[in-house]
């Protein structure tokens, strides 16, 4: 993916993620959208943009989106505390995009990351109604030393963050 974000006051306010293999762009400011794109074609008209909104119901079984290549011991430990959990490994920032579409419940990442890996997805999921917290459950902030972002959990719904973070 290609990730672009604008940070203001230590939080992302605009985010864009382009997945060339999927021919799709997710983007957000105050509202989050997804649009299918074709190489060499004009960008889709606003009527073709699909507004994103995270899931609303509380599921019986949770779907955790996890890193396919960076599933570390801390993340495994966090996941081990849940019953009725399905795990979907996948690459890149697509996990944020699927959460914003309501196609997952949470994305834990306790291994090292950089702010540029997280900010665009954070902006998109926030605009769709989700939330990203740091490794201690506080709002995730930007502007850290050397842009190292540290642990986070992205949730498809803020209510789910309150329910699952301390689990």
């Amino acid at each position: 993916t290609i990730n672009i974000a604008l940070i203001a006051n230590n939080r992302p306010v605009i985010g864009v993620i382009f997945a060339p293999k999927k021919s799709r762009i997710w983007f957000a400011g105050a509202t989050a959208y997804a649009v299918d794109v074709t190489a060499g074609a004009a960008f889709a008209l606003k009527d073709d943009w699909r507004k994103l909104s995270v899931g609303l119901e509380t599921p019986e079984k949770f779907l955790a989106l996890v890193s396919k290549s960076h599933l570390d011991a801390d993340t495994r430990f966090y996941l081990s505390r849940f019953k009725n959990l399905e795990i979907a490994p996948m690459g890149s920032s697509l996990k944020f995009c699927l959460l914003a579409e309501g196609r997952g419940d949470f994305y834990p990442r306790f291994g090292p990351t950089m702010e540029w890996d997280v900010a665009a997805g954070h902006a998109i999921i926030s605009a769709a109604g989700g939330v990203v917290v740091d490794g201690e459950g506080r709002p995730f902030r930007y502007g850290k030393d050397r842009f190292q972002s540290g642990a986070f959990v992205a949730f498809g719904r803020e209510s789910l963050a309150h329910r699952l973070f301390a689990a």
Side-chain angles (χ1 to χ4, degrees), residues 3-58:
N3 302 341
I4 302 168
L6 174 65
I7 305 294
N9 299 317
N10 301 99
R11 62 185 213 47
V13 294
I14 296 173
V16 179
I17 295 176
F18 173 46
K21 281 188 164 184
K22 296 196 175 292
S23 298
R24 182 168 292 163
I25 295 176
W26 294 264
F27 57 99
T31 306
Y33 298 94
V35 64
D36 293 329
V37 295
T38 303
F43 195 75
L45 298 174
K46 190 167 183 174
D47 290 344
D48 295 325
W49 300 0
R50 188 169 42 90
K51 186 176 177 181
L52 301 179
S53 181
V54 296
L56 298 176
E57 70 280 346
T58 301

Side-chain angles (χ1 to χ4, degrees), residues 136-159:
E136 296 180 21
R138 298 178 304 230
F140 193 83
R141 298 287 182 226
Y142 294 80
K144 297 174 191 78
D145 186 41
R146 291 185 270 182
F147 305 105
Q148 295 177 329
S149 61
F152 68 85
V153 183
F155 291 94
R157 294 174 300 293
E158 189 170 353
S159 62

Side-chain angles (χ1 to χ4, degrees), residues 88-163:
M90 61 188 65
S92 73
S93 53
L94 292 176
K95 294 175 283 295
F96 286 108
C97 299
L98 293 179
L99 287 176
E101 291 180 349
R103 296 173 47 199
D105 296 303
F106 63 102
Y107 162 30
R109 178 67 188 261
F110 291 95
T113 59
M114 302 302 286
E115 290 183 354
W116 55 77
D117 294 320
V118 180
H122 186 169
I124 292 167
I125 194 168
S126 294
V131 65
V132 180
V133 298
D134 69 14
E136 296 180 21
R138 298 178 304 230
F140 193 83
R141 298 287 182 226
Y142 294 80
K144 297 174 191 78
D145 186 41
R146 291 185 270 182
F147 305 105
Q148 295 177 329
S149 61
F152 68 85
V153 183
F155 291 94
R157 294 174 300 293
E158 189 170 353
S159 62
L160 196 57
H162 297 298
R163 181 175 166 198

